[in-house]
Amino acid sequence: MKDVIYDVIIIGAGPGGMTAAIYTSRANLKTLILERGVPGGQLQNTAEIENFPSYSHISGPELAQNIFEHSLKFGAEYEQANVKSIAIEGDIKAVYTESGVYKSRSIIISTGTKYKKLNIPGEEEFSGRGVSWCAVCDGAFFKDKELVVVGGGDSAVEESVFLTRFAKKVTVLHRRDQFRAQPILIDRMLKNEKIEVMYNTIVNEIRGENKVSTVLLENVKTGETKEFQADGIFEYIGMDPVSEFVKTLKITDEEGWIITDNRMKTAIKGIFAVGDIRKNAVRQVVAATGDGCIAALEAQYYVENLQEKGNDLSYV
Ligand code: NAP
């Protein structure tokens, strides 16, 4: 248990959380960022960013590092910790982690998302031995290999193009006959000579000896199945929220997305949420940073009024 009481604890160092830290620390609020992994959130898994203002091209990890350094510039503290739960103790919120308890007047949640899994035979067994959810992290292991990418959204389409830097061939498997990704990304993918697309196709099993060697495919229109050679499979079938630690607070919908208003306020006073973890969020880096700014200003208002009025808050 730490004696210090923070003004703001930011849980999760995604772009939204780190932007909030810039604002709150620059407003002289005592700010702590808690992150269980590496700062950057999904930026760490994104090869290229070309729609963040002022960068027409930057790698995700590089942008993450830039925002991280910026977030600490005005005095915010940073600690690596895995948050397990939050308890409300009057005006103070206690954040329970595996390494201790931290106390704060307000909290900004920016824990983002984790990759969905296909939940098919072979997936768990070959995880890290050909099954991956991160082209930036694992793509280089597949030089001159044949890969499959599953999904039809921005991630699948964008990362399949990135994987052609290493792989001899990339086959994109989509369960429908239309991609949901942005047209500019689809266009790039379709023009890439190393990429082939199989529509109406799902993966039913991942097979191999010590590592992936084939995937069992099914055409959902014809019912036809076939074994398809692949040295690796990258799954980009969407995201699940990282919000188990707030389950008891009842601030999420049934799927675990945190419900906020357009000022980033949750149903609990003094607790805000930003970025991809929010229900119906626009899942873009720029949107997350905008959320971070709004939440920080709201947290500042909340903390300053809390100190003036104690429990007698009329703030809504
Ligand atoms: P997504 O948009 O939810 O797309 C998931 C894709 O996986 C869909 O095409 C979906 O098919 C398919 N899928 C879902 N479950 C499946 C299953 N069990 N088997 C096979 N296919 C399955 O996820 P995302 O691409 O990871 O993107 C997440 C969010 O981040 C989106 O809002 C996206 O716009 C944003 N993002 C933006 C950028 C960018 O701006 N450059 C880059 C990456 C992500 P259906 O289409 O049939 O539903």
Side-chain angles (χ1 to χ4, degrees), residues 191-225:
K191 279 186 183 141
N192 191 306
E193 285 178 355
K194 285 185 172 179
I195 296 181
E196 191 182 311
V197 177
M198 277 192 204
Y199 295 97
N200 303 312
T201 301
I202 59 170
V203 186
N204 285 336
E205 193 178 334
I206 300 166
R207 294 175 175 171
E209 286 293 328
N210 293 320
K211 53 189 175 60
V212 173
S213 59
T214 60
V215 286
L216 187 63
L217 305 184
E218 180 185 337
N219 182 308
V220 291
K221 285 265 161 86
T222 63
E224 188 194 332
T225 60

Side-chain angles (χ1 to χ4, degrees), residues 152-155 158 174-176 180 182 237-238 283-284:
D154 286 337
S155 301
E158 200 163 43
H174 184 29
R175 65 181 176 182
R176 289 190 294 135
R180 70 165 63 210
Q182 299 163 50
I237 59 163
R283 300 206 161 83
Q284 296 286 319

